[in-house]
């Protein structure tokens, strides 16, 4: 059996080698001829899985993406061909939640806010939205969730309208890119909605660039409309509108989900699904491969107040301001955008790090964030 996996997939060889003959490919050089003998195709979001790409893969039996988003895959085509398709929903939800938390602490430090006094509006209450809500809850930060499809499906949580979300201090977007149907998300934040934001409000987009009209945002910001924009994802990646960058508070190269855990969990999820498809017992687990974090334990800082200690801890583990500085320094083309993503430094999730909290008053919050005791 021939298995092709995208080379940016961590531990691809380790997970799949026992299941068949494995070959890594780059999204930059993959062609229909290269994967003509594929039984299995495993990608990340950078490979566009189209009828054209699969046109010679006549014995393809399984396609998987080690990502939460699936907009790069022509799922309808796979269905018409009877080819099973699996994605890795939830693999990087915690990574994105930690990204948003880091954003909150960086902006709180910059603008002298009390982070605990902010209300966060979360659009999309799926894996990422729920993980973010859990993190905010651990810290006692108020949040609201908006998800009309889940609301219609009878989700038991207290889901609110977009109008209520628009009143929040911080709005964080966690929806798939959906072009049509009853709840499309493409340009959900269009010129009209963006114009309703005040100068104090923060808008974070860490889902898909096309959910927020980048041109409209740029036009408004150029005119002095002062909402605070945080972008991890962009229209038309990797060839993004570079003019928008100076108007962002924080900007990164689509790395919100790029913890080692987030990426590798995606590989593990595909492995489990492929084993099931093949009727093979899955015997490998991610914990066999993940390296020990560096450092693997942290002593809580003795800061002037409790919230500073929490802020210091979160930013010690992941400080988005460093990614923002690197991005703004380096990015000047689509190639550079790709380069930054490919060479993204090792980032760990809170769950890889033990915190020695001593008798810190918010110890429970720290463990609820996922740190090890
Ligand atoms: N920047 C990054 O590195 C990452 C980006 N993503 C993006 O974030 C998206 C969300 O990820 P997950 O939470 O794992 O997906 P998910 O499928 O678990 O949740 C998405 C939620 O959005 C809701 N939704 C759909 N249309 C909506 C609308 N019009 N208004 C409000 N809610 C709506 C759905 O009902 C669902 O509950 C992914 O599709 C992906 O595009 C995900 C992980 C990492
Ligand atoms: O899971 C998703 O959806 C994402 O956006 C991933 O974090 C994208 O990562 P790559 O597949 O582009 O490495």
């Amino acid at each position: 059996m021939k298995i092709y996996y995208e080379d940016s997939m961590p531990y691809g060889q380790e997970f799949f080698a026992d299941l068949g003959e494995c070959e890594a490919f780059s999204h930059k050089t993959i062609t229909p001829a290269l994967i003509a003998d594929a039984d299995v195709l495993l990608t990340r979001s950078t490979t566009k899985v189209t009828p054209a790409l699969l046109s010679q893969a006549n014995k393809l039996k399984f396609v998987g993406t080690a990502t939460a988003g699936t907009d790069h895959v022509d799922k309808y085509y796979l269905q018409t061909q009877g080819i099973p398709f699996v994605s890795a929903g939830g693999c990087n939800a915690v990574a994105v939640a930690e990204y948003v938390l880091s954003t909150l602490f960086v902006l709180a430090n910059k603008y002298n806010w009390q982070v605990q006094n902010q209300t966060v509006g979360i659009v999309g209450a799926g894996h990422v939205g729920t993980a973010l809500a859990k993190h905010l809850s651990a810290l006692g930060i108020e949040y609201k969730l908006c998800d009309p499809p889940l609301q219609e499906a009878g989700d038991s949580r207290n889901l609110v309208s977009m109008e209520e979300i628009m009143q929040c201090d911080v709005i964080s977007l966690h929806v798939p890119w959906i072009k049509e149907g009853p709840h499309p998300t493409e340009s959900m934040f269009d010129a009209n909605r963006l114009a309703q934001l005040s100068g104090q409000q923060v808008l974070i987009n860490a889902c898909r660039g096309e959910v927020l009209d980048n041109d409209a945002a740029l036009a408004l910001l150029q005119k002095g409309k002062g909402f605070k924009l945080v972008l991890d994802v962009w229209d038309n990646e990797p060839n993004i509108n570079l003019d928008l960058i100076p108007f962002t508070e924080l900007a990164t190269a689509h790395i919100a989900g790029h913890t080692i855990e987030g990426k590798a969990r995606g590989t593990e999820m595909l492995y489990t699904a492929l084993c099931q498809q093949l009727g093979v017992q899955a015997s490998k687990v991610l914990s066999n491969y993940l390296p020990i974090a560096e450092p693997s334990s942290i002593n809580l800082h003795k800061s002037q107040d409790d919230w500073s200690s929490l802020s210091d801890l979160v930013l010690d583990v992941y400080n988005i301001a460093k990614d923002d500085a690197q991005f703004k320094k380096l990015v000047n083309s689509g190639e550079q955008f790709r380069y930054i993503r490919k060479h993204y430094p090792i980032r760990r999730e809170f769950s890889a790090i033990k915190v020695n909290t001593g008798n810190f008053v918010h110890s429970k919050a720290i463990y609820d964030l996922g740190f090890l005791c």
Side-chain angles (χ1 to χ4, degrees):
M1 185 172 62
K2 192 73 194 254
I3 302 173
Y4 287 91
Y5 67 91
E6 191 159 346
D7 57 2
S8 55
M9 198 179 290
Y11 310 114
Q13 196 64 24
E14 287 83 345
F15 272 107
F16 301 113
D18 294 351
L19 298 178
E21 189 194 335
C22 286
E23 195 171 321
F25 66 87
S26 157
H27 69 273
K28 284 163 82 175
T29 51
I30 188 170
T31 59
L34 183 89
I35 55 160
D37 61 343
D39 294 284
V40 173
L41 178 65
L42 306 173
T43 76
R44 289 194 56 88
S45 78
T46 27
T47 297
K48 307 286 170 236
V49 182
T50 60
L53 179 67
L54 305 183
S55 57
Q56 297 179 37
N58 298 324
K59 56 190 186 99
L60 193 61
K61 294 175 197 61
F62 185 91
V63 173
T65 182
T67 58
T70 59
D71 48 274
H72 55 293
V73 178
D74 189 333
K75 297 176 282 293
Y76 176 72
Y77 175 74
L78 292 179
Q79 199 181 359
T80 59
Q81 301 304 301
I83 300 171
F85 168 66
V86 168
S87 62
C91 64
N92 44 23
V94 166
V96 181
E98 292 179 4
Y99 174 98
V100 175
L101 211 57
S102 182
T103 299
L104 291 184
F105 279 116
V106 165
L107 294 183
N109 288 341
K110 180 171 172 186
Y111 290 106
N112 214 10
W113 302 333
Q114 304 295 312
V115 81
Q116 64 275 32
N117 294 342
Q118 305 295 309
T119 299
V120 180
I122 303 172
V123 185
H127 290 97
V128 176
T130 303
L132 176 57
K134 196 164 161 251
H135 276 49
L136 296 171
S137 193
L139 294 173
I141 298 173
E142 191 183 343
Y143 65 84
K144 294 177 191 233
L145 286 166
C146 169
D147 193 317
L150 283 185
Q151 198 161 23
E152 282 172 16
D155 191 288
S156 60
R157 291 172 289 182
N158 178 27
L159 300 171
V160 306
S161 66
M162 263 314 262
E163 285 67 38
E164 278 193 64
I165 291 291
M166 291 303 287
Q167 305 308 315
C168 293
D169 305 301
V170 177
I171 299 172
S172 200
L173 308 181
H174 302 293
V175 293
W177 174 16
I178 304 172
K179 294 182 198 164
E180 51 204 18
H183 301 291
T185 61
E186 184 166 282
S187 293
M188 171 188 252
F189 273 73
D190 58 5
N192 183 29
R193 195 160 264 157
L194 290 167
Q196 294 168 32
L197 295 169
S198 78
Q200 301 311 311
Q201 283 177 295
V202 178
L203 179 61
I204 304 171
N205 188 8
C207 60
R208 283 294 179 269
E210 290 75 6
V211 172
L212 189 163
D213 185 333
N214 283 206
D215 292 340
L218 178 58
L220 285 165
L221 292 164
Q222 276 171 333
K223 277 192 230 149
K225 174 86 189 150
F227 59 89
K228 297 176 174 52
L229 186 60
V230 177
L231 291 182
D232 178 54
V233 291
W234 307 74
D235 249 353
N236 199 32
E237 293 176 17
N239 299 310
I240 66 171
N241 186 345
L242 299 171
D243 293 344
L244 187 52
I245 297 171
F247 293 96
T248 57
E249 279 289 329
L250 295 164
T252 52
H254 193 156
I255 49 68
H258 277 194
T259 55
I260 305 188
E261 289 85 352
K263 288 183 82 171
R265 230 178 261 125
T267 315
E268 184 189 40
M269 286 167 90
L270 291 193
Y271 165 75
T272 308
L274 182 56
C275 285
Q276 196 172 2
Q277 175 73 21
L278 299 173
V280 172
Q281 178 73 37
S283 59
K284 302 182 182 185
V285 287
L286 182 56
S287 51
N288 292 345
Y289 306 117
L290 282 177
I292 305 279
E294 263 308 323
S296 60
S297 81
I298 292 181
N299 294 324
L300 210 58
H301 288 204
K302 295 273 180 280
S303 297
Q304 59 279 29
D305 72 54
D306 301 338
W307 278 94
S308 301
S309 300
L310 282 170
S311 171
D312 289 351
L313 175 64
V314 167
L315 297 180
D316 265 2
V317 179
Y318 176 53
N319 190 338
I320 185 186
K322 289 186 187 159
D323 284 346
D324 166 72
Q326 183 76 348
F327 181 75
K328 287 178 175 159
K329 186 169 139 203
L330 291 181
V331 76
N332 56 16
S333 65
E335 251 334 285
Q336 276 298 100
F337 188 91
R338 281 197 175 123
Y339 178 91
I340 295 166
R341 303 194 78 222
K342 192 170 164 71
H343 296 91
Y344 190 58
I346 290 178
R347 181 174 138 214
R348 299 307 298 262
E349 290 180 4
F350 298 163
S351 61
I353 292 148
K354 179 176 181 327
V355 182
N356 302 313
T357 55
N359 57 1
F360 182 57
V361 64
H362 292 310
S363 298
K364 180 171 179 319
I366 290 175
Y367 302 130
D368 287 349
L369 284 178
F371 287 99
L372 299 173
C373 315

